[in-house]
Amino acid sequence: MTTDVAVNNANLANLSYEELVSMEGAEIAVGTDLLDKDELIGVPFAITGIFFRPSDQSEREYVSVEAITQDGSRVVFNDGGLGIRETLTKWAVDKGIVDADATENPDGPIVEFVSGNVPNYCDVRYDDEGNTTLSVYLPRPLICSRGLRKSSYKAKGEKGKAGYRPAGTTYYIAVHINPWSSSLFWRKLCPS
Protein backbone atom coordinates (compact mmCIF):
# COMPACT_ATOMS: atom_id res chain seq x y z
CA MET A 1 0.00 0.00 0.00
CA THR A 2 2.80 2.44 0.89
CA THR A 3 4.40 1.85 -2.51
CA ASP A 4 1.12 2.71 -4.29
CA VAL A 5 0.89 6.01 -2.39
CA ALA A 6 4.50 6.86 -3.27
CA VAL A 7 3.87 6.04 -6.96
CA ASN A 8 0.70 8.18 -7.01
CA ASN A 9 2.52 11.12 -5.35
CA ALA A 10 5.36 10.83 -7.86
CA ASN A 11 2.83 10.85 -10.71
CA LEU A 12 1.11 13.97 -9.30
CA ALA A 13 4.47 15.72 -8.98
CA ASN A 14 4.98 15.38 -12.74
CA LEU A 15 1.69 17.10 -13.64
CA SER A 16 1.21 20.81 -14.31
CA TYR A 17 -1.00 23.00 -12.11
CA GLU A 18 -3.67 23.11 -14.84
CA GLU A 19 -3.67 19.30 -15.08
CA LEU A 20 -3.96 18.95 -11.31
CA VAL A 21 -6.86 21.42 -11.08
CA SER A 22 -8.79 19.66 -13.85
CA MET A 23 -8.19 16.20 -12.37
CA GLU A 24 -11.38 14.38 -11.37
CA GLY A 25 -11.72 14.28 -7.59
CA ALA A 26 -9.34 17.19 -7.00
CA GLU A 27 -10.30 19.11 -3.88
CA ILE A 28 -10.19 22.89 -3.68
CA ALA A 29 -9.14 24.61 -0.44
CA VAL A 30 -11.49 27.55 0.16
CA GLY A 31 -9.05 29.63 2.19
CA THR A 32 -9.33 33.28 3.20
CA ASP A 33 -7.56 36.52 2.36
CA LEU A 34 -5.65 38.25 5.16
CA LEU A 35 -6.91 41.83 5.08
CA ASP A 36 -5.53 45.04 6.39
CA LYS A 37 -8.20 46.28 8.80
CA ASP A 38 -8.42 49.59 6.92
CA GLU A 39 -10.12 47.64 4.09
CA LEU A 40 -13.04 46.88 6.46
CA ILE A 41 -13.74 50.42 7.64
CA GLY A 42 -17.44 50.97 7.01
CA VAL A 43 -17.72 47.64 5.13
CA PRO A 44 -20.46 45.31 6.47
CA PHE A 45 -19.27 41.82 7.38
CA ALA A 46 -20.36 38.78 9.37
CA ILE A 47 -17.97 37.13 11.83
CA THR A 48 -17.93 33.32 11.56
CA GLY A 49 -14.93 32.50 13.76
CA ILE A 50 -12.93 34.13 16.55
CA PHE A 51 -9.49 32.85 17.60
CA PHE A 52 -7.55 34.18 20.59
CA ARG A 53 -3.91 33.25 19.91
CA PRO A 54 -0.71 33.70 21.94
CA SER A 55 1.37 36.74 20.98
CA ASP A 56 5.14 36.91 20.74
CA GLN A 57 4.97 40.63 21.50
CA SER A 58 2.87 40.87 24.69
CA GLU A 59 1.19 38.84 27.43
CA ARG A 60 -2.18 39.66 25.87
CA GLU A 61 -3.20 37.41 23.01
CA TYR A 62 -4.10 38.80 19.66
CA VAL A 63 -7.38 37.89 18.02
CA SER A 64 -7.85 36.49 14.52
CA VAL A 65 -11.30 37.04 13.09
CA GLU A 66 -12.71 35.02 10.18
CA ALA A 67 -15.52 36.80 8.38
CA ILE A 68 -17.53 37.03 5.20
CA THR A 69 -17.95 40.51 3.74
CA GLN A 70 -21.12 41.86 2.19
CA ASP A 71 -19.73 41.10 -1.29
CA GLY A 72 -19.17 37.43 -0.31
CA SER A 73 -15.38 37.55 0.19
CA ARG A 74 -14.01 35.24 2.86
CA VAL A 75 -11.47 37.22 4.89
CA VAL A 76 -9.42 37.07 8.06
CA PHE A 77 -7.97 39.99 10.00
CA ASN A 78 -5.83 40.13 13.12
CA ASP A 79 -5.89 42.61 15.98
CA GLY A 80 -3.66 42.84 19.02
CA GLY A 81 -4.97 46.13 20.37
CA LEU A 82 -7.67 46.66 22.91
CA GLY A 83 -10.52 47.76 20.61
CA ILE A 84 -11.62 44.69 18.65
CA ARG A 85 -10.14 42.22 21.13
CA GLU A 86 -11.86 43.91 24.08
CA THR A 87 -15.23 44.01 22.28
CA LEU A 88 -14.97 40.30 21.42
CA THR A 89 -13.88 39.51 24.98
CA LYS A 90 -17.05 41.22 26.23
CA TRP A 91 -19.07 39.17 23.75
CA ALA A 92 -17.37 35.96 25.01
CA VAL A 93 -18.25 36.94 28.61
CA ASP A 94 -21.89 37.58 27.60
CA LYS A 95 -22.01 34.12 25.99
CA GLY A 96 -20.49 32.40 29.04
CA ILE A 97 -17.40 31.27 27.15
CA VAL A 98 -15.10 33.13 29.54
CA ASP A 99 -15.68 34.35 33.07
CA ALA A 100 -16.53 38.00 33.77
CA ASP A 101 -13.08 38.48 35.30
CA ALA A 102 -11.68 38.60 31.74
CA THR A 103 -13.08 42.12 31.27
CA GLU A 104 -11.43 43.25 34.52
CA ASN A 105 -7.98 42.41 33.14
CA PRO A 106 -7.89 43.63 29.51
CA ASP A 107 -4.12 43.21 29.23
CA GLY A 108 -4.09 39.64 30.52
CA PRO A 109 -4.58 36.45 28.52
CA ILE A 110 -8.28 35.69 28.01
CA VAL A 111 -7.58 31.95 28.09
CA GLU A 112 -6.95 32.21 31.84
CA PHE A 113 -10.64 33.02 32.20
CA VAL A 114 -12.17 30.25 30.06
CA SER A 115 -15.22 29.08 31.97
CA GLY A 116 -15.65 25.52 33.15
CA ASN A 117 -18.71 25.17 30.94
CA VAL A 118 -17.32 25.88 27.46
CA PRO A 119 -19.98 25.57 24.71
CA ASN A 120 -19.48 22.79 22.16
CA TYR A 121 -18.71 25.31 19.41
CA CYS A 122 -15.52 26.33 21.24
CA ASP A 123 -12.16 24.61 21.35
CA VAL A 124 -9.33 25.20 23.81
CA ARG A 125 -5.94 23.85 22.76
CA TYR A 126 -2.60 23.73 24.53
CA ASP A 127 0.70 23.43 22.68
CA ASP A 128 3.98 21.89 23.88
CA GLU A 129 5.24 25.29 25.06
CA GLY A 130 2.26 25.88 27.37
CA ASN A 131 0.52 28.35 25.04
CA THR A 132 -3.24 28.21 24.85
CA THR A 133 -5.51 29.04 21.93
CA LEU A 134 -9.24 29.65 22.32
CA SER A 135 -11.14 29.00 19.08
CA VAL A 136 -14.80 29.98 18.78
CA TYR A 137 -16.57 28.59 15.70
CA LEU A 138 -19.79 30.57 15.78
CA PRO A 139 -23.03 28.59 15.42
CA ARG A 140 -24.64 31.78 14.09
CA PRO A 141 -22.84 34.75 12.55
CA LEU A 142 -22.06 37.90 14.49
CA ILE A 143 -23.22 40.60 12.07
CA CYS A 144 -21.12 43.78 11.96
CA SER A 145 -23.36 45.86 9.70
CA ARG A 146 -21.24 49.00 10.02
CA GLY A 147 -17.86 47.30 9.58
CA LEU A 148 -14.87 48.60 11.49
CA ARG A 149 -13.93 52.09 12.57
CA LYS A 150 -10.54 53.35 13.61
CA SER A 151 -9.30 55.89 16.08
CA SER A 152 -5.85 57.40 15.57
CA TYR A 153 -4.25 59.43 18.32
CA LYS A 154 -1.12 61.51 18.83
CA ALA A 155 1.60 60.82 21.35
CA LYS A 156 0.85 62.09 24.84
CA GLY A 157 3.48 63.22 27.29
CA GLU A 158 7.23 62.93 27.03
CA LYS A 159 8.91 59.68 26.05
CA GLY A 160 10.59 58.01 29.02
CA LYS A 161 8.45 59.83 31.57
CA ALA A 162 5.42 58.67 33.55
CA GLY A 163 2.13 58.92 31.67
CA TYR A 164 3.73 58.74 28.23
CA ARG A 165 1.59 57.15 25.52
CA PRO A 166 3.00 56.71 22.01
CA ALA A 167 1.01 57.66 18.92
CA GLY A 168 -1.10 54.84 17.58
CA THR A 169 -4.31 53.56 16.09
CA THR A 170 -7.03 51.43 17.65
CA TYR A 171 -9.64 49.61 15.59
CA TYR A 172 -13.18 48.92 16.81
CA ILE A 173 -16.22 47.07 15.57
CA ALA A 174 -18.55 49.91 14.62
CA VAL A 175 -21.71 49.34 16.64
CA HIS A 176 -25.09 51.04 16.74
CA ILE A 177 -25.09 51.36 20.53
CA ASN A 178 -22.42 51.18 23.21
CA PRO A 179 -21.86 47.44 23.87
CA TRP A 180 -20.46 48.25 27.32
CA SER A 181 -23.70 49.80 28.53
CA SER A 182 -25.88 46.80 27.82
CA SER A 183 -25.67 43.28 26.46
CA LEU A 184 -28.79 44.11 24.41
CA PHE A 185 -26.49 44.78 21.44
CA TRP A 186 -25.29 41.17 21.43
CA ARG A 187 -28.74 39.72 21.95
CA LYS A 188 -30.11 41.59 18.93
CA LEU A 189 -27.29 40.58 16.62
CA CYS A 190 -26.41 37.13 17.91
CA PRO A 191 -29.25 35.69 20.03
CA SER A 192 -28.46 32.82 22.37
Side-chain angles (χ1 to χ4, degrees):
M1 178 106 177
T2 306
T3 307
D4 291 342
V5 171
V7 169
N8 287 338
N9 285 344
N11 291 339
L12 290 177
N14 292 323
L15 298 176
S16 70
Y17 176 79
E18 289 76 19
E19 291 169 318
L20 292 169
V21 169
S22 64
M23 182 180 283
E24 185 176 329
E27 295 184 37
I28 308 272
V30 176
T32 57
D33 294 325
L34 180 61
L35 281 188
D36 182 300
K37 292 181 292 273
D38 282 341
E39 294 181 54
L40 290 173
I41 293 174
V43 175
F45 62 89
I47 297 175
T48 59
I50 304 166
F51 308 91
F52 293 91
R53 303 177 194 272
S55 172
D56 294 337
Q57 299 173 6
S58 75
E59 290 182 26
R60 175 178 63 232
E61 306 99 335
Y62 70 95
V63 65
S64 286
V65 178
E66 289 184 357
I68 299 175
T69 61
Q70 187 176 35
D71 70 2
S73 298
R74 293 182 179 278
V75 300
V76 64
F77 61 91
N78 298 323
D79 187 77
L82 287 178
I84 294 170
R85 182 187 175 278
E86 197 168 346
T87 302
L88 294 176
T89 298
K90 173 72 169 118
W91 175 86
V93 167
D94 286 350
K95 294 298 173 195
I97 297 167
V98 296
D99 298 324
D101 294 338
T103 57
E104 301 296 322
N105 185 13
D107 286 325
I110 190 175
V111 294
E112 290 180 3
F113 302 102
V114 172
S115 70
N117 198 12
V118 178
N120 64 358
Y121 56 85
C122 298
D123 185 35
V124 180
R125 298 209 176 190
Y126 307 91
D127 68 16
D128 294 337
E129 296 171 9
N131 297 315
T132 309
T133 300
L134 170 61
S135 302
V136 182
Y137 303 93
L138 298 174
R140 288 178 299 281
L142 176 55
I143 307 299
C144 302
S145 61
R146 296 179 65 203
L148 297 181
R149 68 176 180 84
K150 81 177 187 179
S151 175
S152 295
Y153 45 90
K154 296 178 182 179
K156 178 181 177 185
E158 191 174 326
K159 191 173 185 176
K161 296 203 173 177
Y164 171 73
R165 181 193 73 196
T169 300
T170 302
Y171 290 84
Y172 299 91
I173 296 173
V175 296
H176 294 284
I177 63 170
N178 181 352
W180 306 111
S181 65
S182 165
S183 61
L184 181 62
F185 167 79
W186 301 114
R187 282 192 210 114
K188 284 183 178 177
L189 295 183
C190 194
S192 306

